[in-house]
Amino acid sequence: MAQEALEIPQGNEMFEGYRATFEKYGFSPAVKSRGFLFISGQVGARPDGSAPEDVAGQTEWALKRIEELLRIAGLDFADLVDVTSYHVDIEATLSDFVAVKQRFIKSPFPAWSIIGISGLSRPELKDEIRAVAALRD
């Protein structure tokens, strides 16, 4: 298998409202390739597109979105091998991000890169998370 977009089931509550966005900007929420699932950057938006005002709320929604993509692929957080998180105002927000992340991701931990940035696709967004998981045999 060279590459295959992860098929999001019709009517999926988490992603149904985002199908037009994937099409408009030409990307898949996740792609299977060479034994891995590559998950596009997920932001802390609710299924209706709104975002919580706080970093903790946004981080929780971003991780719930990743959790749903993993579930669709037959995986869970234990299958993650690499995570990259992008943070607006990293000094002020990282501790809240980490507190939520620790509720979802347990040992053995994936590799993790933390990057401070000046902004995301919408001004109210505070963090974005992309991830890579190993597919199960």
Side-chain angles (χ1 to χ4, degrees), residues 50-102:
S50 67
E53 291 183 22
D54 64 310
V55 170
Q58 287 190 24
T59 302
E60 184 162 342
W61 276 104
L63 289 168
K64 285 179 180 180
R65 294 164 62 86
I66 289 170
E67 184 174 46
E68 178 64 3
L69 292 167
L70 290 167
R71 185 196 66 77
I72 291 167
L75 305 172
D76 59 38
F77 284 116
D79 297 299
L80 291 178
V81 295
D82 185 48
V83 175
T84 303
S85 57
Y86 303 88
H87 305 268
V88 176
D89 195 10
I90 192 168
E91 294 84 11
T93 62
L94 189 60
S95 62
D96 289 340
F97 174 89
V98 170
V100 175
K101 177 183 164 281
Q102 289 174 334

